[in-house]
Amino acid sequence: MYNHQLDTFIKTADAGSFGKAAEAMYISSPAIIQQINLLEERCGFKLFVRSNHGVKLTPAGKSLYEDAKTLIRLSEDALNKARLLAESSEYTVRIGTSLLYKCRLIPEIWARISEQLPELKIEILPMAEYQNRGNAFSMLGIKYDMWEGIYGTGSWKGICQFLELDRTPVCCAVAKNHRFAKAEKLTMQDLNGEYLVMPIEGVSEELDAFRREIRQNHPTVQIIDSAYYGVDTFTMCEVNPYILITQLVYSDIHTNLVTIPLKTEYSLPYGLIYANEPTAATQKFIKASREFLKT
């Protein structure tokens, strides 16, 4: 993780002489001198003022001395963190959760498979809102092993793996004072002349097909693209007479909106999103989940 000549450098600075440093490290004085010479050559400046009475740090050497101790400590911390991660990857599945990625089905799955996998445990970790707005996938396989949610069939291919647990139908969500708020079901014709808020193109193949049908058969519908569904998206639909294209599973997160089924054949895949290179524990969890789905 770091140049181990730094260890020799620190020992020499603490000892005040090559001979004492050699005794402390159980190696010869010439070996100590050779390592210091190589380090100075690599740095491009002198680290010690040498005399018959011992060695003394130069100003540049003093600076490196302080920073080297910090560097070694950080390196050791990094190794310990990675070591713990490697050990836990055998037995722990880290599940990310957020507003959109709630654990709705995982508790039931875990209740069914935990007896088969007594060595496994799950750890629930919060996913900050900003991570969802940015690239949560950068943390997949690093901080999180998986999360549960709707899979983006358009833009997520190749950047993660997916186990489908269910299909969730396309629905509409409106403010409680919207004229559709008391409707039991809506049809595509009901959307004529309305403003629809929906994900941008390319995220979902199913929603892209839905969008094409809207454009072709319902040209009076105005589509408002939303790059991300979050609290601000729901609030926008609360204070405006917009219709939010959503899914039934999301009705528990935008509680100030009324979710209404839409008479359409479009549905989206819902399940477990996990890393392309899953940990051993994740592989066991996914395999057991597949067996559970068969029953």
Side-chain angles (χ1 to χ4, degrees):
M1 292 293 290
Y2 64 91
N3 189 334
H4 286 279
Q5 291 169 351
L6 291 176
D7 292 320
T8 304
F9 166 65
I10 290 174
K11 286 286 188 181
T12 302
D14 290 339
S17 76
F18 295 131
K20 291 180 180 179
E23 291 178 7
M25 299 183 70
Y26 302 101
I27 58 177
S28 67
S29 294
I32 293 284
I33 295 172
Q34 182 183 26
Q35 288 190 47
I36 295 300
N37 288 341
L38 290 172
L39 183 59
E40 288 182 330
E41 183 179 343
R42 181 176 181 181
C43 292
F45 50 80
K46 292 293 183 182
L47 299 172
F48 292 105
V49 175
R50 311 182 190 197
S51 69
N52 294 332
H53 302 290
V55 296
K56 183 179 179 181
L57 287 169
T58 64
K62 289 180 181 179
S63 175
L64 182 62
Y65 175 80
E66 296 300 328
D67 291 339
K69 290 192 293 184
T70 301
L71 177 63
I72 292 172
R73 177 179 56 79
L74 291 175
S75 179
E76 290 173 348
D77 290 346
L79 282 172
N80 288 332
K81 182 179 178 181
R83 189 177 295 110
L84 289 173
L85 178 60
E87 293 171 356
S88 67
S89 67
E90 294 287 330
Y91 308 106
T92 304
V93 181
R94 301 161 301 165
I95 300 171
T97 60
S98 68
L99 183 68
L100 291 180
Y101 303 124
K102 290 177 125 181
C103 291
R104 297 176 176 90
L105 301 181
I106 284 177
E108 180 184 355
I109 293 173
W110 180 242
R112 297 291 185 91
I113 69 175
S114 58
E115 291 185 3
Q116 307 170 32
L117 303 169
E119 75 279 12
L120 285 191
K121 64 178 181 178
I122 59 175
E123 183 179 358
I124 307 299
L125 300 172
M127 298 169 66
E129 179 83 1
Y130 73 87
Q131 289 179 333
N132 293 301
R133 288 184 178 276
N135 184 10
F137 292 102
S138 65
M139 293 290 102
L140 187 59
I142 299 175
K143 186 174 182 180
Y144 317 109
D145 295 315
M146 71 169 66
W147 59 72
E148 176 183 329
I150 291 174
Y151 176 69
T153 51
S155 61
W156 293 4
K157 290 180 179 178
I159 62 175
C160 65
Q161 294 195 61
F162 176 67
L163 174 62
E164 184 174 314
L165 302 176
D166 199 3
R167 301 288 301 190
T168 176
V170 172
C171 297
C172 297
V174 298
K176 293 179 179 179
N177 61 352
H178 194 281
R179 66 190 184 91
F180 288 153
K182 294 184 178 180
E184 293 185 2
K185 182 171 283 190
L186 295 176
T187 66
M188 296 291 280
Q189 286 69 31
D190 290 327
L191 304 181
N192 289 330
E194 299 291 337
Y195 286 83
L196 298 190
V197 177
M198 61 184 298
I200 58 176
E201 290 185 77
V203 174
S204 164
E205 292 176 352
E206 296 84 357
L207 289 180
D208 285 351
F210 175 79
R211 180 190 292 262
R212 287 193 295 271
E213 181 177 341
I214 291 289
R215 286 175 172 169
Q216 181 177 351
N217 301 328
H218 306 277
T220 61
V221 173
Q222 299 292 316
I223 296 177
I224 301 172
D225 289 326
S226 179
Y228 171 80
Y229 273 29
V231 174
D232 50 352
T233 314
F234 307 143
T235 302
M236 178 178 68
C237 294
E238 287 178 41
V239 300
N240 292 286
Y242 299 156
I243 297 177
L244 178 69
I245 297 302
T246 183
Q247 286 74 45
L248 191 61
V249 292
Y250 285 164
S251 60
D252 61 355
I253 61 175
H254 44 59
T255 53
N256 289 331
L257 298 175
V258 179
T259 302
I260 310 164
L262 179 65
K263 190 175 180 181
T264 177
E265 296 181 355
Y266 296 103
S267 65
L268 277 65
Y270 184 90
L272 303 179
I273 296 124
Y274 59 103
N276 278 330
E277 297 181 1
T279 64
T282 304
Q283 291 181 52
K284 292 178 183 178
F285 188 96
I286 293 296
K287 181 179 179 181
S289 298
R290 290 186 191 278
E291 294 301 318
F292 164 68
L293 290 176
K294 291 179 182 178
T295 61

